[in-house]
Amino acid sequence: MLPESAAPAVPAAPVSRPRVWPSLLSYLLLMVGMLVGSALFFGAWLAAQAASAYVAGQSHDQVLAQLREQGMSVAALPLVMALSSLVTVLVQLACALLPAALSPTPWRERLGLVPAGRPKPGALGVACVGILSLGWTMSCVASLLGARREGGPLEMLEALARRASTGEFLLMLVVMAAGAGLAEELFFRGYLQTRLVARWGRGVGIGLTALLFGLMHLNPLHAVLATGVGAFLGWVRERSGSVHAGIVAHAVNNAVAFATSRTWSASTPSRESLAWGLLVYGGIFGACLLFLRRARWTEPSAPRAPLPDVAGG
């Protein structure tokens, strides 16, 4: 019998690398589902308008002329856009919850809904201030570079917020702020980023998730701004250990954007004002980053038994 010191070394078991193709396939289904869902919704809405016109006794030519006019202006109707956004939110929730339910990992763990500990006092508020200051900083940079375009999606949403009635505005606020904050964070920072970070590490996982989040917005300027916001939300998700803070910060960011669009008059700021805004908002964002970087985000809770390493979706 060989002495213990001469016993042959047992080779270590290979590390299981989680698969990413189910997550990327879910992203593709998300994009297709959003486009198809919106197209079906607008088609159904126009069909309902046509049926109503026929019932009212209008001629075929009158109905076609009305549909052409409404088809060009449908995006300017707050209620229609709020309901269309609700379709998008439901598609995003389905693309997050259904794959997570099929994963061998418990779905709450898979979506980052299990907190790592008790939130540190003030950290959530700092995250909300951080995302707001980041958005304003990037808007100042875009305006200074002349990148803001009239008629883009951001300007369209601002016009919708001013045109909407009180009820329509509240519906938009619930769907486009709270609903979008929940659905997008569950899918991107919960389902998608969790797997990309597990496969390629935090840097690549956060960056790739933010890029895919930006691409979802389609418009070039909006995509760039969303990528920056997505990177910050991804970093917050990793620092906090769950998606809870990101959901709240995302919803607050959208709600403040809608509220200010409705209450503040539209004007073109001077370059001097933009430069001061860049300095002030950038400084606030830097201070928020420093706080979240140096302060411990969570206070440890009772340790949980580790989950087995799985290679599922």
Side-chain angles (χ1 to χ4, degrees), residues 245-283:
I247 291 173
V248 174
H250 195 151
V252 167
N253 180 67
N254 289 4
V256 170
F258 282 123
T260 54
S261 297
R262 185 173 175 85
T263 56
W264 289 359
S265 59
S267 61
T268 303
S270 64
R271 294 187 65 85
E272 181 179 358
S273 298
L274 291 171
W276 276 108
L278 176 61
L279 181 64
V280 172
Y281 298 139

Side-chain angles (χ1 to χ4, degrees), residues 135-153:
W136 294 333
T137 299
M138 292 190 297
S139 294
C140 289
V141 172
S143 297
L144 285 170
L145 296 177
R148 294 186 68 86
R149 296 287 189 271
E150 295 295 331

Side-chain angles (χ1 to χ4, degrees), residues 19-20 23-24 26-28 30-31 92 96 110-111 181 183-218 222-238 242-243 246 250:
R19 298 176 297 179
V20 297
S23 300
L24 298 179
S26 296
Y27 176 77
L28 178 61
L30 171 76
M31 297 294 288
Q92 292 170 340
R110 182 66 183 83
L111 293 177
E184 292 178 1
E185 290 309 301
L186 281 181
F187 180 82
F188 284 95
R189 259 62 65 177
Y191 181 72
L192 187 60
Q193 180 173 306
T194 298
R195 181 44 44 90
L196 297 184
V197 168
R199 178 63 183 266
W200 290 311
R202 287 187 174 183
V204 174
I206 293 173
L208 184 54
T209 303
L211 179 60
L212 294 175
F213 177 66
L215 291 175
M216 181 195 68
H217 292 81
L218 300 179
H222 200 182
V224 172
L225 298 178
T227 299
V229 169
F232 175 72
L233 289 170
W235 182 73
V236 167
R237 186 260 182 273
E238 295 303 314
S242 74
V243 297
H250 195 151

Side-chain angles (χ1 to χ4, degrees), residues 65-137:
Q66 180 178 334
L67 287 179
R68 279 193 291 268
E69 180 181 354
Q70 291 177 340
M72 295 298 294
S73 61
V74 64
L77 301 176
L79 179 60
V80 174
M81 287 305 297
L83 294 177
S84 174
S85 298
L86 178 59
V87 173
T88 297
V89 166
L90 293 176
V91 170
Q92 292 170 340
L93 285 174
C95 289
L97 295 174
L98 292 180
L102 297 175
S103 172
T105 303
W107 70 273
R108 293 182 70 248
E109 186 91 9
R110 182 66 183 83
L111 293 177
L113 286 169
V114 179
R118 297 186 300 274
K120 179 179 176 63
L124 179 58
V126 172
C128 293
V129 174
I131 193 173
L132 290 171
S133 58
L134 173 61
W136 294 333
T137 299

Side-chain angles (χ1 to χ4, degrees), residues 1 17 29 36 40 62 72 91 122 157 191 226 231 233 277 285 295:
M1 181 176 180
R17 302 185 66 191
L29 294 176
V36 172
L40 290 176
Q62 289 176 323
M72 295 298 294
V91 170
L157 290 177
Y191 181 72
L233 289 170
F285 177 65

